[in-house]
Amino acid sequence: MDHEDTFSFKYIFRSEEETFKFVNCMDTIWKFCGKEVVTAFDLTDFKNVCDVGGCSGAIAKLCISEYPKSKVTIFDLPEAVSMAKAHFVLPTEERISFHKGDFFKDPVPLADLYILARTLNDWKDDECLVILKNIYQSCKPGGAVLITETFLNEDKSGPVQSQLYSLVMQVATVGKQRTLSEHSKLLIMAGFQNIETRKTGKLYDAILARKPIETGPC
């Protein structure tokens, strides 16, 4: 699939000031909602984590705080990585590393767990599938992907906040908010199984899906 950046990341990253505003906004959101997301499931067994589109590193910092044996790689565009390293993630946070790349074009780093926090809502269904398939290829057997979004009801009657976010996404990006079943369908198409969902009591809820463990012939 040839991906064209029809979303406004080029606009967001057009200057250091605009990049800082965007990254700082993401950082603020996860300071308020992130802990409930990373503890919605017990992620203790996932020692090697990749935060795909990890932006400021807020989720990564919460992960290493809640799970002392984990290490997190932030995978994001060069502009976001440079901003995070300069202003948001201290060099002393040795369990956080960075990997510059584009999840439409580049392989994501090998990991046990991949986190997509407010990432899929920026993109169309076929683009989301490209991202998920890319993650599936790098994910270790038995590993998983954690998706956190504000999910629509199955009949899309609400919640109002999710409907408003979806409208914003459709105006500002090529994406939208989705229902749990719509996310599940994309995950299954990418190859993931054993899909679980959790409510956090906050704006953002969570889905965990696993890559099957490879088994040999009987």
Side-chain angles (χ1 to χ4, degrees):
M1 172 185 173
D2 292 328
H3 168 71
E4 180 183 358
D5 186 8
T6 50
F7 178 35
S8 53
F9 280 116
K10 291 178 182 177
Y11 174 82
I12 290 170
F13 295 143
R14 73 188 189 279
S15 70
E16 186 172 348
E17 180 183 3
E18 293 302 321
T19 303
F20 179 82
K21 287 180 181 178
F22 174 75
V23 175
N24 188 55
C25 178
M26 296 298 102
D27 191 71
T28 301
I29 288 169
W30 295 125
K31 283 179 179 177
F32 285 102
C33 304
K35 181 176 180 178
E36 288 78 9
V37 166
V38 300
T39 58
F41 297 91
D42 183 1
L43 306 178
T44 305
D45 292 338
F46 301 110
K47 304 299 189 295
N48 186 5
V49 181
C50 180
D51 189 1
V52 180
C55 203
S56 72
I59 291 288
K61 286 185 278 188
L62 287 165
C63 277
I64 64 170
S65 175
E66 294 294 329
Y67 305 103
K69 294 183 179 180
S70 69
K71 295 181 179 180
V72 183
T73 300
I74 297 171
F75 179 79
D76 212 326
L77 295 170
E79 296 89 345
V81 167
S82 297
M83 186 59 63
K85 292 174 75 173
H87 298 283
F88 295 93
V89 178
L90 298 174
T92 53
E93 292 172 308
E94 297 178 351
R95 288 162 52 211
I96 297 177
S97 60
F98 293 89
H99 190 115
K100 298 177 182 178
D102 181 332
F103 49 49
F104 289 111
K105 302 174 182 177
D106 305 313
V108 297
L110 296 176
D112 306 310
L113 175 71
Y114 295 86
I115 299 176
L116 287 166
R118 282 196 60 185
T119 301
L120 296 182
N121 65 346
D122 290 333
W123 308 105
K124 295 181 291 186
D125 287 353
D126 58 344
E127 293 170 318
C128 290
L129 191 56
V130 171
I131 297 167
L132 291 170
K133 284 183 175 180
N134 192 4
I135 288 172
Y136 186 86
Q137 289 300 314
S138 295
C139 185
K140 297 177 182 178
V145 58
L146 176 71
I147 297 172
T148 178
E149 297 280 0
T150 173
F151 299 113
L152 289 167
N153 296 339
E154 288 302 319
D155 62 1
K156 303 192 178 179
S157 61
V160 173
Q161 287 177 309
S162 300
Q163 291 174 319
L164 290 173
Y165 270 111
S166 192
L167 180 60
V168 170
M169 290 297 102
Q170 291 177 62
V171 171
T173 76
V174 297
K176 60 182 179 180
Q177 302 306 134
R178 295 176 175 86
T179 65
L180 288 168
S181 63
E182 286 173 329
H183 281 90
S184 295
K185 181 179 178 181
L186 289 168
L187 285 162
I188 291 168
M189 290 173 68
F192 290 97
Q193 299 178 5
N194 301 327
I195 300 167
E196 301 177 74
T197 63
R198 290 284 190 280
K199 295 284 187 180
T200 67
K202 294 284 185 78
L203 179 59
Y204 298 99
D205 295 317
I207 300 175
L208 186 74
R210 294 180 180 270
K211 180 174 180 176
I213 297 174
E214 297 174 350
T215 56
C218 297

